[in-house]
């Protein structure tokens, strides 16, 4: 089988989720061919780094109109790659960019997109996938009837696989034509987060706080714990709606879905909408003063206690361990 | 400025969804259906734009007869008109986007708003697919929207921060949480919504390009252990995370 993967990069760095999509693509291609597509500023400089993650060939697309991501520009570039390669499947990592690009590409090609999948396989020669629906309350298995089968992959659902520095890939540029007015919606500015912040959906450890934290200032306790652990800080909707954290930090049904190795919920009751965003974490720890809090029903380890005592003690214990 | 808002009637986020006897859909009896939460942000943004710039807000929903309930909710919030694309059968999202695009062709609009995601199928795809079907630009998952003459500036959240995106109009935007605080329908709004006529359009029958193979409950997490009380339990927790769970 021939699989094409859009390998998202920004300023020459590949997104973790894109490397995971490459890993998924490598397995899906079986003995067949895996083709990576790298688009945008820095694409050809970044391409050699991708080789270690499995593609047999890498196409790079650079164009003055494609310096930054745009839905229309990247769709046209990826469409050109697909027309040239005629793959059986196309995979796109389900990042903010991927979830924007996937549906536009599918509609352009006239094929459906299996969105936010956590498992991929072939079923009678067609692309099949499992996708969580109803905020993860159910798992739906679907099969695309169309060629190529297109899917966006959920971050952290697929292992990236260890890089193999010995792997070689053939790298070649792909020319695309874009009319000067082809891109109607353009990024004009980027407001980047502070250097060193770990992206929630990519973090291996997430420390989240809820209404139990009681104020914006008290989140410093969680930030301190997060720094010690190399973790990202998340929040419940109650904490976000109280103005203590920004919307981008919200974990849950109307926030981000995270699947870290370790999730530490502090002063969070465990409402069904919060659980929707974190139950696929490998290990869950809950710290809550109410022994009846529903979060304890799904947590692997719980401490019944006051976050203002337990969290600083935990930070100290981990510092001491290191 | 005329604004078209696509809305979906979905199970309440609290609902305990159960698999139906056919093994491929959910039981709908005893499930409370509501206007999709993300679509509330879309309706609210449309109402604010109308309040600032005049024009009309038209709601569009595809679905079975019950979908009219969510159209009524949107009307009660203050939308002017509602169109129901009556279809009982299941579509894949691209086919649905094309059906909605055809319906949108009969409604005058300068801008379309959708929710970022429907909380039942969780696809987060329809708005962008609709834009492509209508050959329009789109900005997805927006947290801010400013409409200027003939163009709009939107902000969208990405992993590394915020993108400011400028687009020509008409365009399609999908609403992310944070865009606004949706209003509750007023009593007067609810009364008025009851009297408004919902226009019906028949939906062409078409086959889904996505076949459902199976629907299953995910492996449930079993509650673990309470390690102890207060700060005194911390050493034991750290030991368990290190030695048993091997995550530290
Ligand atoms: C449509 C919809 C979508 C939603 N989406 C989301 C979502 O995406 N994410 C989300 O999180 N929620 C979401 N919610 C809200 C959800 O229903 C809950 O209201 C919310 O998760 C509660 O947040 P919380 O646990 O922080 O607050 P609470 O439920 O108030 O819980 C606070 C907890 O802190 C504990 N506590 C208090 N003080 C201390 C202390 N000193 N030490 C230790 N523990 C303490 C209490 O015992 C309590 O258990 C959504 C709701 C709706 C209707
Ligand atoms: N049946 C429908 N009728 C009208 N709008 C819909 C329908 N389904 C989805 N939408 C819109 O598309 C958005 C995203 O839905 P989805 O791609 O299914 O997650 C929703 O928030 C709605 O605004």
């Amino acid at each position: 089988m021939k699989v094409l993967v859009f390998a998202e990069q920004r300023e020459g760095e590949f997104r973790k989720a894109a490397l995971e999509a490459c890993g998924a693509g490598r397995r899906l291609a079986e003995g067949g061919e895996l083709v990576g597509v790298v688009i945008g500023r820095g694409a050809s400089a970044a391409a050699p780094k991708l080789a270690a993650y499995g593609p047999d060939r890498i196409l790079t697309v650079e164009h003055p109109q494609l310096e930054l991501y745009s839905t229309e520009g990247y769709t046209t570039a990826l469409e050109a790659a697909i027309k040239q390669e005629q793959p059986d499947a196309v995979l796109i990592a389900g990042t903010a960019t991927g979830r924007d690009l996937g549906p536009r590409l599918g509609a352009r090609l006239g094929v459906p997109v299996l969105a936010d999948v956590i498992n991929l396989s072939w079923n009678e020669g067609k692309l099949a996938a499992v996708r969580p629906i109803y905020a993860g309350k159910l798992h739906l298995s679907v099969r695309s009837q169309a060629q190529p089968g297109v899917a966006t992959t959920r971050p952290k659902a697929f292992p990236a696989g260890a890089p193999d520095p010995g792997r070689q890939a053939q790298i070649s540029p792909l020319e695309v034509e874009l009319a000067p007015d082809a891109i109607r919606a353009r990024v004009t500015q980027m407001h980047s987060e502070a250097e060193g912040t770990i992206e929630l959906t990519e973090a291996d450890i997430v420390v989240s706080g809820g209404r139990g934290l009681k104020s914006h200032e008290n989140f410093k306790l969680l930030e301190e714990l997060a720094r010690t652990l190399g973790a990202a800080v998340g929040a419940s909707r109650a904490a976000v709606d109280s103005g203590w954290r920004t919307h981008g930090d919200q974990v849950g049904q109307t926030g981000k879905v995270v699947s870290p190795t370790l999730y530490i919920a502090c002063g969070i009751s465990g409402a069904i909408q919060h659980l929707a965003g974190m139950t696929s974490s490998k290990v869950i720890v809950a710290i809550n003063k109410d022994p009846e809090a529903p979060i304890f029903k799904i947590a692997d380890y719980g401490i019944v206690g006051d976050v203002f005592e337990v969290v600083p003690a935990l930070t100290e214990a981990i510092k001491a361990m290191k | 400025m005329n604004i078209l808002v696509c809305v979906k009637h979905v199970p309440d986020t609290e609902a305990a969804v159960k698999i139906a006897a056919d093994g491929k859909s959910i039981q709908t009896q005893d499930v409370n259906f509501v206007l999709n939460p993300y679509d509330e942000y879309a309706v609210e943004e449309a109402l604010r734009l109308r309040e600032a710039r005049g024009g009309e807000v038209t709601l569009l929903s595809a679905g079975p007869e019950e979908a009219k309930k969510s159209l009524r909710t949107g009307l009660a919030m203050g939308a002017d008109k509602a169109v129901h694309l009556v279809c009982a059968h299941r579509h894949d999202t691209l086919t649905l986007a094309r059906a909605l695009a055809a319906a949108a062709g009969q409604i005058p609009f300068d801008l379309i708003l959708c929710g970022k995601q429907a909380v039942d199928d969780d696809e987060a795809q329809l708005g962008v697919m609709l834009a492509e079907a209508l050959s329009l630009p789109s900005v997805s998952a927006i947290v801010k929207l400013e409409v200027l003459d003939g163009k709009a500036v939107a902000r969208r959240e990405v992993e590394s921060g915020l993108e400011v995106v400028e687009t020509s109009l008409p365009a399609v935007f999908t609403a992310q949480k944070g865009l606004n605080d949706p209003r509750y329908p007023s009593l007067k709004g609810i009364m008025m919504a009851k009297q408004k006529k919902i226009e019906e359009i028949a939906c062409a029958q078409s086959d889904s390009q996505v076949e459902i193979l199976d629907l299953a409950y995910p492996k449930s997490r079993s509650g673990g252990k309470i390690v102890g009380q207060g700060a005194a339990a911390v050493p034991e927790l750290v030991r368990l995370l290190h030695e048993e769970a091997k995550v530290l």
Side-chain angles (χ1 to χ4, degrees), chain B:
Chain B
M1 155 153 268
N2 294 316
I3 303 155
L4 179 61
V5 188
C6 295
V7 299
K8 191 174 189 187
H9 193 55
V10 299
D12 187 335
T13 54
E14 294 279 348
V17 288
K18 296 259 151 45
I19 301 169
D22 69 359
K24 294 186 174 180
S25 60
I26 63 153
Q27 294 174 16
T28 51
Q29 66 273 29
D30 306 327
V31 174
N32 183 36
F33 278 71
V34 295
L35 172 62
N36 181 39
Y38 286 105
D39 302 353
E40 291 182 10
Y41 303 117
V43 174
E44 177 63 36
E45 198 64 17
L47 296 176
R48 290 185 189 188
L49 283 169
R50 180 196 64 191
E51 283 154 10
R53 311 176 70 95
E56 278 188 340
V57 174
T58 305
L59 308 174
L60 172 62
S61 187
E65 196 50 35
E66 295 79 47
K68 287 197 174 68
K69 281 194 197 143
S70 282
L71 287 171
R72 297 251 179 244
T73 307
L75 288 170
M77 285 173 76
D80 301 283
K81 291 180 180 161
V83 179
H84 181 194
L85 187 60
V86 186
C87 50
H89 55 281
R90 199 187 66 84
H91 289 289
D92 65 80
T93 303
L94 178 58
T95 312
L96 181 65
R98 288 171 167 169
L100 289 170
Q106 302 174 37
I107 303 163
F109 66 83
D110 302 295
L111 186 155
I112 298 181
L113 279 157
C114 291
K116 183 198 79 164
Q117 175 169 349
V119 301
D120 52 357
D121 63 32
D122 284 332
E123 287 215 7
Q125 300 207 103
L126 185 118
V128 178
M129 287 181 160
L130 175 64
E132 178 67 17
L134 290 166
S135 300
L136 294 178
S138 56
V139 191
S140 62
I142 62 164
V143 292
K144 190 167 186 226
L145 178 63
E146 261 179 295
V147 173
L148 311 159
D149 281 325
K151 66 170 190 179
V153 180
R155 280 174 187 244
R156 63 188 300 264
E157 274 173 10
V158 294
E159 287 82 1
S160 45
L162 277 174
E163 283 177 354
V164 181
V165 186
E166 199 174 299
T167 177
S168 59
L169 291 178
V172 179
F173 301 89
T174 76
Q176 165 72 304
K177 176 178 182 277
L179 181 61
N180 53 45
D181 285 317
R183 68 194 68 186
Y184 291 102
S186 66
L187 203 57
K188 185 168 156 245
I190 296 168
M191 297 311 289
M192 279 179 32
K194 280 191 183 144
Q195 270 141 46
K196 283 193 183 147
K197 196 175 163 309
I198 294 177
E199 189 192 331
E200 288 187 0
I201 311 183
C203 183
Q205 180 87 33
S206 53
D207 290 333
S208 178
Q209 288 194 81
V210 177
E211 191 186 342
I212 293 182
L213 303 173
D214 180 49
L215 190 57
Y217 298 103
K219 218 168 71 221
S220 65
R221 292 190 87 96
S222 47
K225 53 181 148 199
I226 298 290
V227 178
Q229 314 276 323
V234 165
E236 177 62 1
L237 173 68
V238 172
R239 189 193 68 79
L240 288 166
L241 290 176
H242 182 62
E243 289 173 15
E244 189 178 84
K246 300 192 167 55
V247 292
L248 281 186

Side-chain angles (χ1 to χ4, degrees), chain A residues 12-90:
Chain A
E13 288 297 321
F14 288 99
R15 296 217 72 99
K16 263 193 192 171
L19 302 177
E20 292 162 11
C22 270
R26 185 69 268 168
R27 279 181 297 279
L28 202 60
E30 295 164 349
E33 198 177 24
L34 180 69
V35 181
V37 181
V38 189
I39 306 174
R41 185 158 68 207
S44 48
K49 279 190 263 181
L50 190 65
Y53 292 89
D56 303 296
R57 282 191 297 122
I58 300 169
L59 303 176
T60 59
V61 190
E62 276 168 306
H63 189 285
Q65 297 243 70
L66 298 174
E67 293 261 293
L68 291 179
Y69 173 73
S70 70
T71 320
E72 294 163 289
Y74 272 45
T75 299
T76 301
L78 205 46
E79 185 191 15
I82 292 163
K83 288 247 162 80
Q84 174 181 305
E85 297 294 332
Q86 301 288 323
D88 299 290
V90 177

Side-chain angles (χ1 to χ4, degrees), chain A residues 210-212 214 236-238 250-255 267-271 273-274 287-290 293 305-308, chain B residues 13-14 37:
Chain A
R211 204 190 311 269
K214 298 195 172 66
S236 74
R237 178 164 176 168
Q250 185 180 317
V251 172
Q253 183 152 24
T254 46
I268 293 177
S269 62
Q273 296 94 345
H274 186 79
I287 302 166
N288 195 304
K289 68 176 183 191
D290 174 10
D306 189 334
V307 283
F308 301 109
Chain B
T13 54
E14 294 279 348

